[in-house]
Amino acid sequence: MKDGKKLTGTVAGVLAVTALIGFAAASCDEKKDVSQKSSEASVVTNENGSVSRAFTEMTVTTNGNMVTEHRRETRTTLDADGNMLATTTSEYAQSYPVGDTGMKSLASPIRAKVDAPEKAEEGFMGLTFGETFAGTNFVADADEPTLLRTTFTPKKALAGFDDYYVYVTPKTHKVAKVYACAKEAVDPGANWRRHYLIEALEKRYQTWARPRSWCRPIYTFDLGAGRYVTAYLAGATRDYETVLAAWDDAQLAVAADEAEALRAEARKSAAEKRSRRVTDATEAF
């Protein structure tokens, strides 16, 4: 009986030690795995009267010497009467060593007065949307029937990019679209980080990248007031692997109006020419 009591006491002691070790390990894991959550919201009134709202939820988890950030962003757009026009949700995650720099907070607080919209970014690669481009070698592009295209040299070139194109309105030659193209895929750097071009565009325009495809690396940046930048990081076109494209919806509308006006002028000129030929032929008979 005494031996049995001693055995029972020993087993109890081992269980107590095991429980203590497990508690210590759990405490240690809690110290290594620390999560912080935050949320931000912003409201922007666009020039056309529509309202863009964004709500961002961020979770930052530190585990050992690695930090993992997860972001979920919900964007909604309402017209001037408050009717829902569009809603999108995007999620993004990245990991990096402790001490490195991750995603910055870009969303601004909700503004009480929405009748004073923020000024949207006006250009891309040194060109300003709506400015007259002083070029002469304009050509038509089958993919952009309402625009004319030409090449340009930016003030500061992008590493790894080969060609730069500007698309202008057909009559007044106002800048409507800008392209930067690389024949080879631009090196993304470390595979556990976001592509540096995405990080640079977020920093430049102070807005989050929004994934456009679940299977291809395509991201769009909403600059506000109908201006956008889209990054095609791989397999962009038949001729280029990486393409950055920026455009202004207002100038595209101007281009469509100018193109229609030019077509109307061409039809009128053709009708007048035919009328003169008919008159000349009639007099000759």
Side-chain angles (χ1 to χ4, degrees), residues 180-197:
C181 307
K183 296 177 181 178
E184 302 293 335
V186 177
D187 183 12
N191 57 14
W192 48 266
R193 291 296 304 274
R194 290 174 298 160
H195 198 291
Y196 78 90
L197 288 173

Side-chain angles (χ1 to χ4, degrees), residues 43-46 48-54 75-87:
V43 177
V44 176
T45 301
N46 303 315
N48 60 3
S50 64
V51 177
S52 299
R53 297 176 178 175
R75 285 179 173 267
T76 57
T77 303
L78 298 85
D79 62 18
D81 297 325
N83 300 311
M84 182 73 71
L85 298 178
T87 180

Side-chain angles (χ1 to χ4, degrees), residues 42-125:
S42 64
V43 177
V44 176
T45 301
N46 303 315
E47 291 181 352
N48 60 3
S50 64
V51 177
S52 299
R53 297 176 178 175
F55 180 73
T56 304
E57 299 172 283
M58 176 91 70
T59 301
V60 181
T61 302
T62 303
N63 187 1
N65 65 342
M66 292 297 294
V67 177
T68 300
E69 295 183 358
H70 181 270
R71 174 176 57 81
R72 177 184 176 88
E73 183 182 70
T74 302
R75 285 179 173 267
T76 57
T77 303
L78 298 85
D79 62 18
D81 297 325
N83 300 311
M84 182 73 71
L85 298 178
T87 180
T88 60
T89 300
S90 61
E91 296 190 47
Y92 199 90
Q94 68 166 342
S95 297
Y96 54 89
V98 173
D100 203 347
T101 302
M103 293 183 286
K104 299 294 185 181
S105 175
L106 298 177
S108 58
I110 294 179
R111 292 179 294 279
K113 295 182 179 180
V114 296
D115 56 347
E118 289 184 344
K119 180 181 179 181
E121 293 292 343
E122 295 182 345
F124 182 75
M125 296 300 299

Side-chain angles (χ1 to χ4, degrees), residues 64-224:
N65 65 342
M66 292 297 294
V67 177
T68 300
E69 295 183 358
H70 181 270
R71 174 176 57 81
R72 177 184 176 88
E73 183 182 70
T74 302
R75 285 179 173 267
T76 57
T77 303
L78 298 85
D79 62 18
D81 297 325
N83 300 311
M84 182 73 71
L85 298 178
T87 180
T88 60
T89 300
S90 61
E91 296 190 47
Y92 199 90
Q94 68 166 342
S95 297
Y96 54 89
V98 173
D100 203 347
T101 302
M103 293 183 286
K104 299 294 185 181
S105 175
L106 298 177
S108 58
I110 294 179
R111 292 179 294 279
K113 295 182 179 180
V114 296
D115 56 347
E118 289 184 344
K119 180 181 179 181
E121 293 292 343
E122 295 182 345
F124 182 75
M125 296 300 299
L127 297 181
T128 301
F129 294 121
E131 72 175 353
T132 300
F133 186 84
T136 55
N137 298 322
F138 295 111
V139 296
D141 189 327
D143 294 329
E144 298 286 355
T146 63
L147 299 172
L148 297 177
R149 184 194 72 205
T150 190
T151 59
F152 75 99
T153 301
K155 295 179 180 178
K156 185 176 179 64
L158 282 167
F161 282 75
D162 303 286
D163 301 312
Y164 302 88
Y165 300 97
V166 56
Y167 285 78
V168 300
T169 57
K171 190 172 183 179
T172 57
H173 297 170
K174 305 291 186 181
V175 174
K177 271 190 173 185
V178 183
Y179 282 77
C181 307
K183 296 177 181 178
E184 302 293 335
V186 177
D187 183 12
N191 57 14
W192 48 266
R193 291 296 304 274
R194 290 174 298 160
H195 198 291
Y196 78 90
L197 288 173
I198 299 302
E199 189 169 346
L201 286 166
E202 286 182 337
K203 182 178 180 181
R204 166 66 176 85
Y205 294 107
Q206 290 294 289
T207 185
W208 293 116
R210 299 171 59 184
R212 289 281 304 276
S213 172
W214 63 272
C215 62
R216 297 179 61 198
I218 304 175
Y219 301 88
T220 293
F221 302 80
D222 186 347
L223 311 187

Side-chain angles (χ1 to χ4, degrees), residues 17-35 62-64:
V17 172
T18 303
L20 182 61
I21 293 174
F23 177 77
S27 300
C28 184
D29 289 341
E30 287 178 1
K31 291 181 180 179
K32 288 184 178 180
D33 193 357
V34 179
S35 295
T62 303
N63 187 1

